[in-house]
């Protein structure tokens, strides 16, 4: 009985230790870029945040994307430019970024997406 209890307790505790990726709501800047309402929505990347990691989920290959992280005053504190492969792309941030509220901008092609984490 003790072994079963310890096993269940260990499984529950280990599942609580894993951090969960928090989705970042991205908005298109400027709003007019989406075009008329009769078109199908564009496939755009999504973004999640976990501890010191940003995860960019690209629905297709993006030749060059710039990721800007800004502090609450609007100053750029982190810049990352690279090609984004299809699927999950990981960006490691410094420890300072996880301590406060920040905004993020994704710039690629003619798209400009903004969000807060």
């Amino acid at each position: 009985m003790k072994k079963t209890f310890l096993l269940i307790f260990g499984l529950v505790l280990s599942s609580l230790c894993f951090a969960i990726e928090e989705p970042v709501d991205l908005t298109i800047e400027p709003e007019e870029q989406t075009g008329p309402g009769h078109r199908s929505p564009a496939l755009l990347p999504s973004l999640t945040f976990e501890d010191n990691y940003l995860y960019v989920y690209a629905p297709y290959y993006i030749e060059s994307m710039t990721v800007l992280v800004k502090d609450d005053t609007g100053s750029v504190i982190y810049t990352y430019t690279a090609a984004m492969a299809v699927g999950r792309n990981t960006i490691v941030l410094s420890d300072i970024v996880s301590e406060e509220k920040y905004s993020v901008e994704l710039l690629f092609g003619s798209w400009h997406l903004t969000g807060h984490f």
Side-chain angles (χ1 to χ4, degrees):
M1 185 67 175
K2 285 184 180 182
K3 290 181 183 180
T4 306
F5 176 74
L6 285 175
L7 177 65
I8 293 171
F9 180 74
L11 289 173
V12 170
L13 185 62
S14 66
S15 67
L16 295 176
C17 292
F18 292 105
I20 298 173
E21 292 180 34
E22 297 178 29
V24 176
D25 292 327
L26 297 173
T27 57
I28 300 170
E29 298 289 332
E31 292 279 333
E32 298 83 33
Q33 185 171 357
T34 57
H38 296 293
R39 295 184 179 178
S40 61
L43 290 174
L44 296 175
S46 60
L47 185 71
T48 60
F49 175 72
E50 176 187 350
D51 295 330
N52 293 347
Y53 299 97
L54 279 178
Y55 299 107
V56 178
Y57 292 90
Y60 49 85
Y61 177 77
I62 299 172
E63 188 174 325
S64 178
M65 177 186 282
T66 301
V67 178
L68 301 174
V69 178
K70 296 181 177 182
D71 62 10
D72 57 352
T73 64
S75 301
V76 176
I77 59 169
Y78 185 82
T79 303
Y80 179 81
T81 302
M84 295 292 164
V86 176
R88 182 166 118 169
N89 298 276
T90 304
I91 300 171
V92 181
L93 302 173
S94 65
D95 292 334
I96 230 170
V97 174
S98 65
E99 296 175 3
E100 295 181 24
K101 185 106 175 140
Y102 292 94
S103 66
V104 62
E105 295 182 15
L106 303 180
L107 307 167
F108 62 100
S110 63
W111 292 98
H112 181 187
L113 306 173
T114 60
H116 299 278
F117 66 96

